[in-house]
Structure formats: C-alpha cells, structure tokens
Amino acid sequence: MHKEIEKNRIQVSLVEKIIEKTFVRSGLLTDFKLNKTTISEPIRNKITSSFFLYEKLIQSLPKHKSVIDTKPYIVFGIVNFFYNIEEHEKAISYLNILLKKYPKSYKINLCKGFLCETIGRTHDAINCYDMILQNKKDDIDLLFRKAELLSLVKQHNSTLNCLDQILKIEPENIRALYNKGIVLSETSQYEKAISYHDRVIKINPKHIQAIYNKGLALESLHRYDEAIECYDMISQLESRFVTSLYKKSICLMNMDRLEQAIQCYNEIIKINPKHIQAIYNKGLALESLHRYDEAIECYDMITCIEPKYGETIFRKGRLLSTIGNYDKAIECYDMILQMEPNNTNALYYKSYSLLRQGKKEESLRLIEHMLTIDKRYKRHITNNNDFLNAIGTDEISRIANY
C-alpha cells in the first residue's frame, strides 16, 4: 500500500512537470496575465490528457498538497489555456479556485473581471473591480473600466460617482470630465453637461467631441444659436466634419432659417454627394419655400443613389399631387406598391390622386381594398372634403361601414 502511494506521488510530480513544461513552451505560463497565443491541436490534446490524468492521480492522494498550494501559476496556465481555446466559463471556474486561496489578488481579480466582461457578465466584472478597488482606491484605469461598465448597464448615478472619484484624484482629467458630460446628457441634465464640456474645452480648445456634445446639449435646450456656434467652431477645426454641419442644418431648420439650411446641406453634399439625409432634408426645405421643381430634383437624386428608398418616392408623390401632376404622382405610389403591396399610405394617396383625375370607380375599389388592410383609414376618408364632394355622403357612409 505504501509503495502504491509513493508510486502515485512520483507520477503526480512527473505530470506536474510535463504540464509546466508544456505551458512554458506554449506561452501559457505567465505572471498571472492572460496571454493570447496559438495552440496547435497536438498541444491542446496533450494538455487536456495530462491535466485529466493529473486530476485523477490527485484523487488517489488525499493528503497530497494540491498544485494550487505549491504552484498556483500552473493553475493560471490552465486559465490561459481555456482562455485561448475560448472556453471562458471554464477559465473563470479555475480563477475562482485561485480566488478561494487568494481572494484579494489584484491580478487574478483583474483577469476574472476581464473574462466576465468578455462573456457579458457585466455585474460580475464590476464586483471583481470593486474587490481590487478596496485596496487600490486610486487606480484610475480601473475606475474608468468600472465607470464604463456601470454606464453600459445604465447605472448612471453610480457611473457619476465613479467619475467623481477620478476627478478627486485628478481634477482636470479630460477623459473623466468629458465622460461625465456625456452621462449628464444621457440623464437629461443638460445644463450640468454643458458645464463639464466647457471645462474640457477650457483645457483643450480643440477637443472636437466635447464641442460637438456641448452643441447637442444646447440643442436639447432649444438654444439653437449657441449650438450653431459650437458646430461652427468644429468646422473651423475640421472643415470636412460632416456630422457637425448636418446638426447645424437641423438647428437652422428648427429656427425656420431655410435658405441658410439649404446652404449648409449644399456644403454637406459637396463633401459627400451620397449623403441621403442631407439631400432629403434639402428637399423638405425647398418644399417649404414652394420651390417644388428643385425639391423634386433632390428626391430624384436620392432615387438614383438608393432606388428603393420608399420614403423619398412617397414624398415626391405627395409633392407631385400638390402641384396637380397626378399621373406622375400615381407612378410614384405604384413604385412603392411594387415593393410593399399593402402600404396603406401609398394606397390612400393613390386613391386620392385617382379621385382628383375623376376616376371615381378606380378610387373606390382602391379605398375598399385599403380598408381590408387597415380599417383605421375610415376616419381619413370620412373627414376628407374632397372625398365627400366627389363621392357623396351615401357612398362615404357605405365605405365607413365597410
């Protein structure tokens, strides 16, 4: 019996050496740091079989000190192994074994936090970082990681507290000031957000993202002139920053300064001729100025870029109806109905265009078909004077009860 135990002890030691040597060769034996490396199939099989044998031998030696006690770095090699073959849950299970022995280990908790992040166990990752921060309260990098995770799970107050901890350590930390501004905007605290973006801009007057997000906050407060000032500052720093030009154009539209908005859209289109939203909004502005032919040109430009952009085709159809070109309007609605046969908006406005052409029977058939799809359109029919005058009250009542 004694000889058998001694034999098993020798086997355990040999297997430990084999595992250790294999880990060294594979780059898995690190100083408690996760290391991405390439593991060949033969090495993978060798590690798996060696570790299986090791666990079996250990069970036959109840008094034998585990490798966790004698060589914990080998256990971390196993963690690295499972990390590399993307079995993250198994890697975490071995980290948990190590943490039972070394619960306050910075490196082990850090690795577990990272792996938990990788597989979406955000709250577990936060717990790991909290464990580290108990002893390293001034670890700014870790506080940032924790703040990002808290923001990810929408724990805004905790995120702000975390950023405040960083700002206590470094009052002019640009990243913390900027991130706090973002979180404050996300919680609709726009005035406070602006103050933090201002602090960033004071330190770095060329911080484009801070200037841009200050503009967004001002826009949310309907302070459009001030928002435009921000977007103009960005244009001075980066003339081809299309996003700020687009936001400026939206502010101008909101202030009914349509000619200036159109100029802004032209700048955007010059930089990016395929900026569909800019072309579309330019069309809307031209419509509002009753410059219908130019608006239609915009909508045609979009159709050339994206033939199935239904919203533009519909808008063109509505505009053609407005100027009395019902044939062309119907062509637009038919294009939409080819893509979406049950598009009730297209059916409704096509029926209206047919009615305006005096094609009462065709219009009625289309209306009845539309009501089989969506009965809510009864209200539109019964409240439309053109339908009432052309079709008559009795027919409208019949349709309303269809």
Side-chain angles (χ1 to χ4, degrees):
M1 182 68 178
H2 179 72
K3 286 182 179 180
E4 186 66 28
I5 291 172
E6 189 57 36
K7 179 184 173 184
N8 286 347
R9 286 188 194 282
I10 293 167
Q11 285 182 310
V12 165
S13 297
L14 286 171
V15 174
E16 281 181 4
K17 286 177 182 177
I18 291 168
I19 293 171
E20 186 173 354
K21 192 178 288 184
T22 307
F23 283 167
V24 169
R25 287 176 180 171
S26 306
L28 298 173
L29 212 61
T30 60
D31 184 23
F32 296 98
K33 290 180 182 178
L34 294 170
N35 180 41
K36 207 67 175 169
T37 186
T38 303
I39 302 174
S40 65
E41 193 64 29
I43 292 293
R44 177 174 175 165
N45 292 335
K46 185 176 182 180
I47 291 171
T48 304
S49 59
S50 297
F51 196 70
F52 175 78
L53 175 61
Y54 175 77
E55 286 187 320
K56 190 176 179 181
L57 288 168
I58 280 291
Q59 289 171 10
S60 68
L61 299 170
K63 292 183 181 180
H64 183 83
K65 279 194 173 183
S66 167
V67 71
I68 298 165
D69 298 301
T70 58
K71 297 178 181 178
Y73 58 90
I74 292 181
V75 179
F76 195 84
I78 298 162
V79 171
N80 249 329
F81 170 65
F82 284 122
Y83 165 61
N84 274 280
I85 64 173
E86 297 188 350
E87 292 190 24
H88 297 121
E89 289 288 1
K90 282 189 178 179
I92 290 169
S93 71
Y94 279 98
L95 284 170
N96 286 336
I97 291 169
L98 287 168
L99 285 168
K100 283 180 182 178
K101 183 76 176 176
Y102 313 101
K104 295 183 179 180
S105 167
Y106 175 89
K107 290 181 178 178
I108 298 171
N109 275 297
L110 192 65
C111 291
K112 182 182 175 183
F114 171 78
L115 288 176
C116 286
E117 278 190 63
T118 303
I119 60 174
R121 285 169 51 179
T122 307
H123 291 287
D124 289 334
I126 291 168
N127 290 336
C128 290
Y129 300 149
D130 278 337
M131 179 63 73
I132 297 169
L133 289 166
Q134 285 177 15
N135 298 312
K136 295 193 71 174
K137 294 179 181 179
D138 293 347
D139 190 324
I140 287 178
D141 288 339
L142 202 57
L143 283 166
F144 271 122
R145 283 178 76 170
K146 181 185 173 184
E148 286 169 9
L149 293 178
L150 288 165
S151 180
L152 191 66
V153 295
K154 305 298 180 185
Q155 292 186 20
H156 297 302
N157 288 335
S158 297
T159 306
L160 291 171
N161 288 336
C162 209
L163 292 169
D164 283 338
Q165 284 180 261
I166 296 169
L167 291 169
K168 280 181 184 177
I169 302 163
E170 292 184 7
E172 294 194 345
N173 186 298
I174 285 182
R175 183 180 167 194
L177 291 168
Y178 173 74
N179 287 356
K180 187 166 182 183
I182 296 298
V183 177
L184 287 165
S185 280
E186 286 175 359
T187 54
S188 302
Q189 299 179 67
Y190 299 115
E191 291 287 1
K192 286 184 179 179
I194 290 164
S195 71
Y196 277 91
H197 291 311
D198 278 337
R199 286 175 66 181
V200 174
I201 296 162
K202 187 177 179 181
I203 299 166
N204 178 6
K206 295 183 179 181
H207 197 297
I208 286 177
Q209 287 302 321
I211 301 167
Y212 177 75
N213 281 286
K214 178 185 174 181
L216 293 183
L218 287 162
E219 208 176 321
S220 298
L221 293 170
H222 306 293
R223 289 158 59 180
Y224 299 121
D225 279 321
E226 293 172 81
I228 288 170
E229 285 178 16
C230 290
Y231 302 139
D232 282 341
M233 281 174 65
I234 293 170
S235 294
Q236 289 172 11
L237 295 168
E238 179 51 75
S239 60
R240 297 178 69 82
F241 195 85
V242 168
T243 308
S244 64
L245 282 170
Y246 181 73
K247 293 303 293 182
K248 177 183 176 180
S249 67
I250 297 298
C251 289
L252 290 165
M253 293 277 278
N254 286 330
M255 298 167 75
D256 209 30
R257 286 155 59 178
L258 301 178
E259 290 288 359
Q260 287 176 271
I262 290 167
Q263 289 175 17
C264 209
Y265 290 128
N266 286 337
E267 286 183 61
I268 295 168
I269 295 162
K270 188 176 179 181
I271 297 167
N272 178 6
K274 294 184 178 181
H275 197 297
I276 287 177
Q277 202 58 51
I279 302 168
Y280 181 78
N281 285 355
K282 180 184 174 184
L284 294 181
L286 288 163
E287 268 193 64
S288 298
L289 293 169
H290 306 291
R291 290 157 60 180
Y292 299 129
D293 288 338
E294 291 174 80
I296 288 169
E297 284 177 17
C298 289
Y299 301 143
D300 285 339
M301 280 174 65
I302 294 171
T303 307
C304 289
I305 298 165
E306 181 51 75
K308 293 184 178 181
Y309 199 78
E311 189 178 345
T312 301
I313 301 168
F314 179 73
R315 193 78 201 180
K316 180 183 174 182
R318 290 288 307 277
L319 183 51
L320 288 164
S321 290
T322 300
I323 61 177
N325 193 337
Y326 298 113
D327 284 330
K328 291 289 184 183
I330 289 167
E331 285 179 16
C332 290
Y333 301 136
D334 283 340
M335 285 173 67
I336 296 168
L337 292 167
Q338 283 177 4
M339 297 183 284
E340 302 174 54
N342 292 332
N343 187 307
T344 45
N345 271 336
L347 289 166
Y348 175 78
Y349 285 102
K350 181 182 177 182
S351 69
Y352 177 77
S353 294
L354 288 166
L355 189 67
R356 297 293 290 175
Q357 288 181 315
K359 298 176 181 179
K360 177 181 170 182
E361 293 303 319
E362 283 184 64
S363 177
L364 280 172
R365 281 197 297 274
L366 211 57
I367 290 168
E368 289 174 354
H369 171 60
M370 178 184 68
L371 291 175
T372 63
I373 299 166
D374 191 343
K375 295 187 184 297
R376 289 175 297 178
Y377 273 80
K378 285 180 183 178
R379 180 169 54 84
H380 294 283
I381 302 295
T382 54
N383 291 336
N384 188 313
N385 287 330
D386 287 322
F387 279 111
L388 283 169
N389 294 332
I391 297 173
T393 307
D394 291 342
E395 194 64 28
I396 289 290
S397 297
R398 183 186 72 77
I399 290 169
N401 295 314
Y402 185 75

